[in-house]
């Protein structure tokens, strides 16, 4: 069972994590939720559409304007506190690699630290343990935060993903992070080219077989764009196709921009798998 904040999720229950970027230069929405009111409206909409987790980020993943820890905290800490006040039952995640920021957002009410850069600051896991927060352990191929991969090679990309993420997960558990609150993430696009990310998707069941809940962050990413030769705003269909494959292979948590569409895909896959009843059953019965 996955336990995050006040919520528990059965092992096979798909969970949506909605992205709320507190940045003026995010690659997808170009700062649409940088200001408080649009960001809070986005949270309200995401929860209404079926998101159980809100993932708040104060620094865009790619290269860009320098954002130090103080500025990252300024963008996220107060917002976390306000989301906690307005939505007491939602799981609040913060996308950060910095222990200093993790400490501040946990004090403000965050339930989960989403470390997308693969433990580059080892103290972040200690922060999660101290606060009883969850932790996402991600494979980033040893990349430094906010850098793009260049001619990265792996003898076996999934073997490397497993070695890194399982090592991070076991370390976090040894430090005191609750085992039921640790997730592993293959890190699509992070320290990988498109073929690496496609192979990671194709072999996702190997991560699922470890027993740790698997989080995938697929939404509108470059590996989708390159696979279909589509710009950022035309990657929804490819993202949803990848989501369906990931769900079939057993991923549990989905970090997304489009919540309602993802919810339908996950519900349809669950219905095909036989773990969810159809919403209605009229055909052939009238």
């Amino acid at each position: 069972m996955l336990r995050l904040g006040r919520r528990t999720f059965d092992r096979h229950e798909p969970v949506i994590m909605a992205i709320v970027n507190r940045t003026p230069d995010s690659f997808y929405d170009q700062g649409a939720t940088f200001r408080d009111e649009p960001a809070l409206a986005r949270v309200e909409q995401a929860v209404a559409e079926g998101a159980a987790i809100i993932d708040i980020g104060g620094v865009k993943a790619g290269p860009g304007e320098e954002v130090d820890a103080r500025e990252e905290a300024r963008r996220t800490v107060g917002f976390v506190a306000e989301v906690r006040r307005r939505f007491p039952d939602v799981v609040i995640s913060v996308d950060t690699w910095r222990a200093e920021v993790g400490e501040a957002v946990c004090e403000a009410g965050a339930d989960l630290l989403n470390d997308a850069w693969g433990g580059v600051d080892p103290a972040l896991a200690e922060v999660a343990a101290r606060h009883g927060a969850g932790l996402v352990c991600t494979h980033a191929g040893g990349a430094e935060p906010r850098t793009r991969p260049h001619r990265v090679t792996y003898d076996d990309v999934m073997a490397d993903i497993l070695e890194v993420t399982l090592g991070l997960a076991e370390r976090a558990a040894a430090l005191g992070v609750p085992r039921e609150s640790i997730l592993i993430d293959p890190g699509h696009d992070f320290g990988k080219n498109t073929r690496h990310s496609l192979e990671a998707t194709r072999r996702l069941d190997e991560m699922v077989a470890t027993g740790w809940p698997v989080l995938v962050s697929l939404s509108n990413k470059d590996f989708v764009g390159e696979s279909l030769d589509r710009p950022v705003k035309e990657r929804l269909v490819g993202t949803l196709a990848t989501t369906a494959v990931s769900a079939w292979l057993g991923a549990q948590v989905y970090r997304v921009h489009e919540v309602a569409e993802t919810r339908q895909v996950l519900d349809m896959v669950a219905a095909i798998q036989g773990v969810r009843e159809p919403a209605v059953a009229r055909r052939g019965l009238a």
Side-chain angles (χ1 to χ4, degrees), residues 28-45:
Y28 182 68
D29 60 29
Q30 299 299 305
T33 53
F34 185 46
R35 294 186 298 110
D36 286 352
E37 287 311 312
L40 288 166
R42 160 71 174 159
V43 173
E44 185 172 9
Q45 178 187 8

Side-chain angles (χ1 to χ4, degrees), residues 2-281:
L2 176 62
R3 187 181 305 276
L4 300 170
R6 300 182 181 183
R7 303 285 298 273
T8 56
F9 306 94
D10 291 337
R11 178 171 172 78
H12 299 292
E13 180 181 354
V15 182
I16 294 178
M17 169 190 274
I19 299 165
V20 179
N21 289 315
R22 305 308 316 282
T23 60
D25 53 355
S26 49
F27 90 100
Y28 182 68
D29 60 29
Q30 299 299 305
T33 53
F34 185 46
R35 294 186 298 110
D36 286 352
E37 287 311 312
L40 288 166
R42 160 71 174 159
V43 173
E44 185 172 9
Q45 178 187 8
V47 171
E49 291 178 347
I53 307 172
I54 301 297
D55 190 49
I56 299 163
V59 186
K60 69 176 290 188
E65 177 186 351
E66 182 179 354
V67 181
D68 62 17
R70 177 177 292 186
E71 173 61 16
E72 183 184 357
R74 189 191 69 79
R75 295 177 179 184
T76 55
V77 175
F79 187 72
V80 166
E82 184 61 16
V83 173
R84 178 83 294 149
R85 186 184 72 81
R86 295 194 188 196
F87 303 91
D89 295 325
V90 77
V91 178
I92 299 176
S93 169
V94 175
D95 181 351
T96 186
W97 73 87
R98 292 171 167 139
E100 178 182 347
V101 176
E103 187 78 45
V105 296
C106 283
E107 290 176 357
D111 305 300
L112 177 65
L113 296 176
N114 181 11
D115 181 9
W117 290 102
V120 68
D121 184 348
L124 189 64
E126 298 170 16
V127 171
R130 189 158 53 249
H131 289 274
L135 184 70
V136 179
C137 300
T138 307
H139 179 272
E144 289 295 315
R146 307 193 68 191
T147 61
R148 298 196 189 282
H150 180 67
R151 301 190 183 280
V152 180
T153 61
Y154 299 95
D155 291 334
D156 182 330
V157 68
M158 182 50 74
D160 204 85
I161 288 169
L162 289 170
E163 180 180 359
V164 170
T165 58
L166 297 182
L168 290 170
E170 291 295 347
R171 175 180 181 270
L175 287 170
V177 180
R179 293 187 74 91
E180 65 272 19
S181 303
I182 298 172
L183 304 98
I184 58 174
D185 177 355
H188 288 82
D189 276 0
F190 281 62
K192 300 171 188 67
N193 62 31
T194 288
R195 288 182 175 84
H196 294 145
S197 292
L198 291 172
E199 183 172 350
T201 306
R202 195 159 53 243
R203 297 173 61 185
L204 204 62
D205 56 339
E206 295 177 41
M207 295 189 76
V208 173
T210 67
W212 295 101
V214 174
L215 180 150
V216 287
S217 183
L218 312 168
S219 194
N220 302 293
K221 283 196 167 178
D222 284 349
F223 83 96
V224 175
E226 288 193 358
S227 294
L228 302 175
D229 193 16
R230 289 290 185 269
V232 171
K233 292 297 184 180
E234 297 178 17
R235 297 176 183 176
L236 175 58
V237 174
T239 296
L240 295 178
T242 314
T243 299
V245 170
S246 300
W248 188 262
L249 292 175
Q252 184 167 14
V253 180
Y254 301 80
R255 183 178 181 272
V256 305
H257 296 96
E258 291 92 356
V259 174
E261 294 88 343
T262 302
R263 181 79 269 163
Q264 288 189 50
V265 169
L266 296 177
D267 286 350
M268 190 67 208
V269 171
I272 295 169
Q273 290 173 323
V275 297
R276 176 185 177 274
E277 289 297 316
V280 296

